[in-house]
Amino acid sequence: MRTWTALGILVLLLLWSSIGTGLAQAPLYDLGNTARFIAEHWFPPDFGHWRIALAAMVDTLQIALCSTLVALAIALPASFVAARNTGLPRWLYDGTRLVFNLFRAVPELVLALVFIPTLGLGPLPAVLALIIHNIGVFGKMIAELIEAADDGPQEAVKALGGTRLLVAAYGILPQILPLVLSQYFYRLETAIRTTLILGVVGAGGLGQLLYNDFKQFMYQKVTFEVLLIMVLVTAVDYAGAAVRKRVK
Amino acid sequence: MLELIGLNKRYKGEAEAALDGVHLRVQTGEFVAVLGRSGAGKSTLIRCVNRLVEPDAGRVLWQGRDLTAMSAAELRRARMRIGMVFQHYHLLPRLSVLTNALAGRFGAMPRWRSLPGWYTASERALAAAALREVGLEALGRRRVEELSGGQKQRVAIARVLVQQPELLLGDEPISSLDSVTAARIMRHIASLHRERGMTVLLNLHDVAVARAHASRIIGLAGGRIVYDGSPEALDETALARIYADEAAPDLPIHRRDRG
């Protein structure tokens, strides 16, 4: 009986949200229009500006790489402070957790819009926005990995007369490293997609190029740019898989 | 000399005390085995010695110094001289056999060398000799995850050899091993006691193993010492006191141990 009630509630929620968003009415629209629009205007892709597009792709990768690496470098040591089992004072734990939560709560787009008026257009506002948001994401995630780490190696380092830093470096870090790397590549992929969105507000890279071409109705160029995005995301996914395979 | 004075420990949410006023004096050079049922307080007793578990009350004196009153830095220096082997080995994960043996020097090294793992030639030679002694010299580059349980415990023994402590604590060091491997590990521990003069305090499940190696046996039940004497004097009555099952008094657990 409870299962049916739960299922009923789920169906009601689905109906309510799909009517609200217009998805329920989608069959009433002529979706063939979209297919015709893509077929007629988006193909064949225009490769003519390949140099510009490739440079923009490199910019996008650099923004995503730089911001996630800096965020990881800051969040990794800070997350030891935000983990309950590292034995640091409670106020430090609470304070660091609060900072992580605040950083994570503000979307990158909002942060970028805050930085653009003072720092100007270009990749820097996007990089700063991504760093701040990702410190929050990495910090919380790594702190939870630290809390779930096996006590055994930590006890061993303590019993050998090791300092707190050694307990972290040898008792905890080797355990969580593969999971941190796995999360890093996931966040890198997410950062690439976010960088594309930030391009709309002037952060440079493929996102900005795509948005400018779209506004000028140069859809065939947009097709090539979308293809490049797919290549980039897939390449990052493969690179991540290769690194994860080595770091087990 | 190691002296435990009135040790008490009760874990949060537990009705019974894990340790209830334990007094124990271990002379330098003794080999003491602690026997008792699961939950008798054996692990807590061993872990209170090097303060991996903080006692609620009581003192631990080691070479005349109060370990329970030490600052964090003093305790780290004291732990350098107290080795420990664990039931589940507690090796450093994803690192090599050699690195794990070298970890025995952690407490003795300056921080700027221990953190990046910069070892001197003499420390490396010490670790190589330790691995040779436990028969693992050929596996130095292997990751510890690739080893069997017995090999892992031998790495832990090598770590103790590199640490060169004066007191060796053991928390069920052979409970996860088959009888042949367990006998080999016990021979290693006995040689640390005999040839290196280490004082040994370890808890065991196996009465026969304790009788074979220890010079003195401590029986714990309900967090209290109920037997303290020689292996020869450990008779049926003493075993019944140590292993008496309150829920089933007619079926003393020690009979299973002897079977």
Side-chain angles (χ1 to χ4, degrees):
Chain A
M1 187 63 199
R2 279 169 65 178
T3 315
W4 287 109
T5 312
L7 206 62
I9 291 170
L10 268 180
V11 169
L12 280 174
L13 284 173
L14 177 65
L15 276 173
W16 175 69
S17 58
S18 53
I19 290 168
T21 55
L23 184 70
Q25 297 94 309
L28 304 175
Y29 289 92
D30 184 2
L31 293 176
N33 272 341
T34 310
R36 271 192 299 279
F37 171 62
I38 290 173
E40 285 167 15
H41 295 92
W42 292 57
F43 286 96
D46 180 354
F47 301 105
H49 67 310
W50 65 272
R51 277 177 200 279
I52 297 167
L54 275 181
M57 185 178 81
V58 170
D59 285 347
T60 300
L61 180 63
Q62 283 175 330
I63 294 169
L65 259 179
C66 175
S67 53
T68 47
L69 284 174
V70 171
L72 184 64
I74 295 169
L76 187 61
S79 57
F80 280 89
V81 181
R84 220 179 295 244
N85 55 337
T86 45
L88 291 164
R90 178 79 199 206
W91 63 268
L92 260 177
Y93 161 83
D94 284 334
T96 319
R97 283 259 163 170
L98 180 68
V99 170
F100 286 162
N101 285 337
L102 292 177
F103 279 12
R104 214 175 57 253
V106 189
E108 297 97 324
L109 185 62
V110 176
L111 288 166
L113 288 171
V114 169
F115 286 122
I116 284 171
T118 46
L119 300 173
L121 294 172
L124 188 61
V127 169
L128 292 178
L130 281 163
I131 287 174
I132 290 173
H133 185 78
N134 279 303
I135 286 174
V137 175
F138 280 135
K140 181 178 160 45
M141 183 263 299
I142 299 171
E144 277 164 13
L145 289 177
I146 293 168
E147 285 176 355
D150 179 13
D151 282 342
Q154 301 174 54
E155 271 197 331
V157 179
K158 275 186 216 162
L160 287 162
T163 57
R164 222 173 253 172
L165 203 57
L166 279 181
V167 172
Y170 287 92
I172 297 173
L173 202 56
Q175 288 188 61
I176 65 169
L177 196 64
L179 292 166
V180 170
L181 268 179
S182 172
Q183 286 295 320
Y184 172 77
F185 278 100
Y186 173 67
R187 289 306 304 170
L188 177 63
E189 208 183 300
T190 311
I192 287 172
R193 283 196 296 270
T194 310
T195 307
L196 297 170
I197 292 164
L198 297 183
V200 175
V201 293
L206 258 182
Q208 188 167 339
L209 187 67
L210 186 146
Y211 186 61
N212 289 342
D213 289 339
F214 191 85
K215 277 197 298 190
Q216 294 169 60
F217 310 110
M218 293 191 280
Y219 299 126
Q220 285 159 306
K221 283 188 174 180
V222 174
T223 307
F224 176 45
E225 288 146 14
V226 171
L227 284 173
L228 282 181
I229 292 168
M230 289 173 174
V231 168
L232 184 59
V233 171
T234 310
V236 167
D237 186 43
Y238 274 103
V243 172
R244 280 196 297 269
K245 203 173 166 187
R246 286 187 70 88
V247 186
K248 271 186 191 164
Chain B
M1 187 177 68
L2 173 71
E3 195 173 2
L4 314 182
I5 305 165
L7 278 191
N8 278 308
K9 178 70 189 178
R10 187 192 299 270
Y11 292 103
K12 257 184 207 167
E14 294 287 326
E16 302 290 321
L19 291 181
D20 188 4
V22 170
H23 289 271
L24 178 65
R25 189 178 284 185
V26 178
Q27 299 297 336
T28 303
E30 270 193 294
F31 190 129
V32 180
V34 182
L35 293 175
R37 298 180 44 185
S38 295
K42 303 191 300 291
S43 284
T44 306
L45 175 72
I46 298 287
R47 280 153 193 268
C48 278
V49 173
N50 61 355
R51 280 177 59 191
L52 284 182
V53 168
E54 291 289 350
D56 297 334
R59 295 193 298 152
V60 178
L61 301 182
W62 164 240
Q63 311 287 44
R65 298 193 62 203
D66 188 351
L67 290 176
T68 39
M70 284 182 176
S71 68
E74 288 172 328
L75 180 63
R76 279 199 299 274
R77 279 196 291 278
R79 280 172 172 169
M80 260 166 56
R81 295 155 57 204
I82 303 174
M84 188 159 183
V85 279
F86 301 84
Q87 179 180 356
H88 298 296
Y89 330 118
H90 289 5
L91 300 179
L92 309 181
R94 304 183 61 257
L95 298 175
S96 72
V97 167
L98 181 66
T99 308
N100 266 277
L102 282 163
R105 298 312 298 161
F106 272 171
M109 292 164 72
R111 287 177 196 201
W112 63 270
R113 281 205 297 116
S114 59
L115 191 62
W118 291 335
Y119 300 99
T120 61
S122 64
E123 284 164 343
R124 287 181 176 278
L126 188 63
L131 289 177
R132 207 173 310 123
E133 194 164 332
V134 297
L136 292 176
E137 68 272 33
L139 303 182
R141 286 173 176 274
R142 284 265 185 96
R143 277 227 326 229
V144 287
E145 284 79 9
E146 296 169 20
L147 305 182
S148 67
Q151 287 172 325
K152 284 179 181 168
Q153 199 60 294
R154 277 148 69 196
V155 176
I157 301 278
R159 185 166 68 186
V160 170
L161 283 165
V162 172
Q163 186 185 357
Q164 300 176 320
E166 294 150 43
L167 169 65
L168 176 63
L169 304 173
D171 185 14
E172 304 277 6
I174 56 168
S175 292
S176 303
L177 305 172
D178 63 78
S179 56
V180 175
T181 314
R184 185 173 186 178
I185 295 297
M186 282 311 298
R187 281 199 298 276
H188 281 301
I189 291 175
S191 99
L192 292 174
H193 170 246
R194 207 174 41 245
E195 287 158 29
R196 309 222 171 201
M198 286 183 205
T199 305
V200 176
L201 175 65
L202 72 167
N203 60 47
L204 293 167
H205 255 102
D206 194 320
V207 177
V209 172
R211 276 190 168 128
H213 293 280
S215 54
R216 178 178 166 199
I217 288 176
I218 301 294
L220 267 186
R224 292 177 183 204
I225 293 179
V226 294
Y227 177 83
D228 183 354
S230 69
E232 296 77 28
L234 186 71
D235 56 12
E236 291 288 316
T237 321
L239 283 170
R241 267 207 312 276
I242 299 169
Y243 289 103
D245 187 349
E246 285 164 24
D250 297 337
L251 293 168
I253 302 266
H254 72 269
R255 291 192 188 283
R256 288 212 300 268
D257 282 330
R258 295 190 307 146

